[in-house]
mmCIF file of all heavy atoms in Angstrom:
data_model
loop_
_atom_site.group_PDB
_atom_site.id
_atom_site.type_symbol
_atom_site.label_atom_id
_atom_site.label_comp_id
_atom_site.label_asym_id
_atom_site.label_seq_id
_atom_site.Cartn_x
_atom_site.Cartn_y
_atom_site.Cartn_z
ATOM 1 N N LEU A 279 -11.204 22.389 1.107
ATOM 2 C CA LEU A 279 -11.780 21.433 0.153
ATOM 3 C C LEU A 279 -13.250 21.779 -0.118
ATOM 4 O O LEU A 279 -13.694 21.791 -1.266
ATOM 5 C CB LEU A 279 -11.680 20.009 0.702
ATOM 6 C CG LEU A 279 -10.274 19.405 0.723
ATOM 7 C CD1 LEU A 279 -10.232 18.152 1.590
ATOM 8 C CD2 LEU A 279 -9.801 19.072 -0.690
ATOM 9 N N PHE A 301 -4.274 22.946 -12.505
ATOM 10 C CA PHE A 301 -3.666 21.724 -11.951
ATOM 11 C C PHE A 301 -2.537 21.234 -12.873
ATOM 12 O O PHE A 301 -1.454 20.862 -12.414
ATOM 13 C CB PHE A 301 -4.712 20.625 -11.763
ATOM 14 C CG PHE A 301 -4.088 19.309 -11.393
ATOM 15 C CD1 PHE A 301 -3.530 19.126 -10.133
ATOM 16 C CD2 PHE A 301 -3.993 18.279 -12.319
ATOM 17 C CE1 PHE A 301 -2.889 17.931 -9.803
ATOM 18 C CE2 PHE A 301 -3.360 17.085 -11.992
ATOM 19 C CZ PHE A 301 -2.810 16.912 -10.732
ATOM 20 N N LEU A 441 -3.512 9.135 -9.495
ATOM 21 C CA LEU A 441 -3.901 10.010 -8.381
ATOM 22 C C LEU A 441 -5.037 9.353 -7.596
ATOM 23 O O LEU A 441 -5.914 10.015 -7.041
ATOM 24 C CB LEU A 441 -4.292 11.395 -8.923
ATOM 25 C CG LEU A 441 -3.183 12.049 -9.762
ATOM 26 C CD1 LEU A 441 -3.689 13.289 -10.491
ATOM 27 C CD2 LEU A 441 -1.968 12.407 -8.916
ATOM 28 N N LEU A 447 -0.102 11.533 -3.742
ATOM 29 C CA LEU A 447 -0.916 12.705 -4.077
ATOM 30 C C LEU A 447 -2.204 12.128 -4.648
ATOM 31 O O LEU A 447 -2.143 11.322 -5.580
ATOM 32 C CB LEU A 447 -0.226 13.593 -5.116
ATOM 33 C CG LEU A 447 -1.083 14.776 -5.591
ATOM 34 C CD1 LEU A 447 -1.301 15.781 -4.462
ATOM 35 C CD2 LEU A 447 -0.458 15.475 -6.786
ATOM 36 N N PHE A 448 -3.340 12.525 -4.110
ATOM 37 C CA PHE A 448 -4.542 11.783 -4.493
ATOM 38 C C PHE A 448 -5.738 12.685 -4.746
ATOM 39 O O PHE A 448 -5.841 13.794 -4.224
ATOM 40 C CB PHE A 448 -4.888 10.762 -3.409
ATOM 41 C CG PHE A 448 -5.145 11.386 -2.070
ATOM 42 C CD1 PHE A 448 -6.417 11.785 -1.710
ATOM 43 C CD2 PHE A 448 -4.108 11.586 -1.180
ATOM 44 C CE1 PHE A 448 -6.651 12.377 -0.482
ATOM 45 C CE2 PHE A 448 -4.332 12.176 0.054
ATOM 46 C CZ PHE A 448 -5.611 12.577 0.401
ATOM 47 N N ALA A 449 -6.628 12.144 -5.579
ATOM 48 C CA ALA A 449 -7.910 12.787 -5.840
ATOM 49 C C ALA A 449 -8.960 12.127 -4.946
ATOM 50 O O ALA A 449 -8.658 11.161 -4.236
ATOM 51 C CB ALA A 449 -8.276 12.616 -7.307
ATOM 52 N N TYR A 450 -10.178 12.631 -5.009
ATOM 53 C CA TYR A 450 -11.255 12.083 -4.176
ATOM 54 C C TYR A 450 -12.106 11.153 -5.036
ATOM 55 O O TYR A 450 -13.294 11.341 -5.229
ATOM 56 C CB TYR A 450 -12.037 13.235 -3.548
ATOM 57 C CG TYR A 450 -11.134 13.956 -2.568
ATOM 58 C CD1 TYR A 450 -10.157 14.846 -3.023
ATOM 59 C CD2 TYR A 450 -11.181 13.677 -1.211
ATOM 60 C CE1 TYR A 450 -9.275 15.450 -2.147
ATOM 61 C CE2 TYR A 450 -10.304 14.278 -0.324
ATOM 62 C CZ TYR A 450 -9.349 15.161 -0.804
ATOM 63 O OH TYR A 450 -8.470 15.740 0.077
ATOM 64 N N GLY A 453 -8.227 9.487 -10.555
ATOM 65 C CA GLY A 453 -7.574 10.612 -11.225
ATOM 66 C C GLY A 453 -6.212 10.162 -11.701
ATOM 67 O O GLY A 453 -5.650 9.179 -11.198
ATOM 68 N N GLY A 454 -5.691 10.850 -12.686
ATOM 69 C CA GLY A 454 -4.360 10.505 -13.192
ATOM 70 C C GLY A 454 -3.763 11.681 -13.934
ATOM 71 O O GLY A 454 -4.441 12.691 -14.180
ATOM 72 N N LEU A 490 -9.848 14.305 -16.848
ATOM 73 C CA LEU A 490 -9.888 14.553 -15.397
ATOM 74 C C LEU A 490 -10.876 15.698 -15.203
ATOM 75 O O LEU A 490 -10.720 16.761 -15.824
ATOM 76 C CB LEU A 490 -8.494 14.967 -14.899
ATOM 77 C CG LEU A 490 -8.369 15.307 -13.411
ATOM 78 C CD1 LEU A 490 -8.517 14.057 -12.548
ATOM 79 C CD2 LEU A 490 -7.014 15.959 -13.117
ATOM 80 N N LEU A 493 -13.970 19.079 -10.727
ATOM 81 C CA LEU A 493 -14.053 18.894 -9.273
ATOM 82 C C LEU A 493 -12.787 18.235 -8.749
ATOM 83 O O LEU A 493 -12.195 18.673 -7.769
ATOM 84 C CB LEU A 493 -15.246 18.000 -8.927
ATOM 85 C CG LEU A 493 -16.552 18.692 -8.565
ATOM 86 C CD1 LEU A 493 -17.622 17.662 -8.277
ATOM 87 C CD2 LEU A 493 -16.364 19.613 -7.367
ATOM 88 N N GLN A 494 -12.368 17.174 -9.441
ATOM 89 C CA GLN A 494 -11.148 16.486 -8.983
ATOM 90 C C GLN A 494 -9.943 17.417 -9.088
ATOM 91 O O GLN A 494 -9.094 17.444 -8.198
ATOM 92 C CB GLN A 494 -10.911 15.206 -9.792
ATOM 93 C CG GLN A 494 -11.954 14.129 -9.572
ATOM 94 C CD GLN A 494 -12.024 13.645 -8.123
ATOM 95 O OE1 GLN A 494 -11.217 14.027 -7.279
ATOM 96 N NE2 GLN A 494 -12.993 12.807 -7.835
ATOM 97 N N ALA A 495 -9.870 18.174 -10.163
ATOM 98 C CA ALA A 495 -8.735 19.078 -10.331
ATOM 99 C C ALA A 495 -8.720 20.127 -9.211
ATOM 100 O O ALA A 495 -7.671 20.431 -8.625
ATOM 101 C CB ALA A 495 -8.791 19.761 -11.697
ATOM 102 N N ALA A 496 -9.904 20.653 -8.865
ATOM 103 C CA ALA A 496 -9.984 21.677 -7.813
ATOM 104 C C ALA A 496 -9.551 21.095 -6.467
ATOM 105 O O ALA A 496 -8.827 21.735 -5.696
ATOM 106 C CB ALA A 496 -11.409 22.210 -7.720
ATOM 107 N N LEU A 497 -9.986 19.874 -6.174
ATOM 108 C CA LEU A 497 -9.628 19.245 -4.895
ATOM 109 C C LEU A 497 -8.153 18.865 -4.889
ATOM 110 O O LEU A 497 -7.462 18.979 -3.864
ATOM 111 C CB LEU A 497 -10.517 18.022 -4.635
ATOM 112 C CG LEU A 497 -12.028 18.324 -4.570
ATOM 113 C CD1 LEU A 497 -12.838 17.046 -4.383
ATOM 114 C CD2 LEU A 497 -12.349 19.305 -3.458
ATOM 115 N N LEU A 498 -7.659 18.440 -6.049
ATOM 116 C CA LEU A 498 -6.225 18.119 -6.146
ATOM 117 C C LEU A 498 -5.373 19.369 -5.886
ATOM 118 O O LEU A 498 -4.304 19.279 -5.267
ATOM 119 C CB LEU A 498 -5.905 17.564 -7.533
ATOM 120 C CG LEU A 498 -6.147 16.061 -7.687
ATOM 121 C CD1 LEU A 498 -6.305 15.683 -9.157
ATOM 122 C CD2 LEU A 498 -5.014 15.261 -7.046
ATOM 123 N N LEU A 499 -5.852 20.518 -6.342
ATOM 124 C CA LEU A 499 -5.097 21.755 -6.104
ATOM 125 C C LEU A 499 -4.986 22.031 -4.598
ATOM 126 O O LEU A 499 -3.943 22.459 -4.115
ATOM 127 C CB LEU A 499 -5.764 22.938 -6.816
ATOM 128 C CG LEU A 499 -5.493 23.016 -8.320
ATOM 129 C CD1 LEU A 499 -6.451 23.996 -9.005
ATOM 130 C CD2 LEU A 499 -4.043 23.435 -8.589
ATOM 131 N N VAL A 500 -6.056 21.747 -3.867
ATOM 132 C CA VAL A 500 -5.991 21.924 -2.406
ATOM 133 C C VAL A 500 -4.970 20.938 -1.830
ATOM 134 O O VAL A 500 -4.111 21.303 -1.020
ATOM 135 C CB VAL A 500 -7.380 21.708 -1.759
ATOM 136 C CG1 VAL A 500 -7.278 21.793 -0.240
ATOM 137 C CG2 VAL A 500 -8.386 22.728 -2.296
ATOM 138 N N ASN A 501 -5.045 19.677 -2.260
ATOM 139 C CA ASN A 501 -4.100 18.680 -1.740
ATOM 140 C C ASN A 501 -2.659 19.035 -2.089
ATOM 141 O O ASN A 501 -1.743 18.775 -1.298
ATOM 142 C CB ASN A 501 -4.433 17.294 -2.299
ATOM 143 C CG ASN A 501 -5.596 16.655 -1.567
ATOM 144 O OD1 ASN A 501 -6.238 17.308 -0.751
ATOM 145 N ND2 ASN A 501 -5.868 15.409 -1.841
ATOM 146 N N LEU A 502 -2.478 19.632 -3.264
ATOM 147 C CA LEU A 502 -1.110 20.015 -3.652
ATOM 148 C C LEU A 502 -0.498 20.972 -2.629
ATOM 149 O O LEU A 502 0.705 20.939 -2.376
ATOM 150 C CB LEU A 502 -1.114 20.686 -5.030
ATOM 151 C CG LEU A 502 -0.848 19.800 -6.237
ATOM 152 C CD1 LEU A 502 -0.920 20.616 -7.520
ATOM 153 C CD2 LEU A 502 0.516 19.104 -6.138
ATOM 154 N N GLY A 503 -1.348 21.811 -2.035
ATOM 155 C CA GLY A 503 -0.866 22.757 -1.020
ATOM 156 C C GLY A 503 -0.292 22.054 0.200
ATOM 157 O O GLY A 503 0.542 22.607 0.909
#
Side-chain angles (χ1 to χ4, degrees):
L279 288 166
F301 172 71
L441 304 169
L447 175 67
F448 60 90
Y450 293 78
L490 178 70
L493 265 179
Q494 293 299 354
L497 300 177
L498 275 159
L499 282 166
V500 176
N501 281 8
L502 266 179

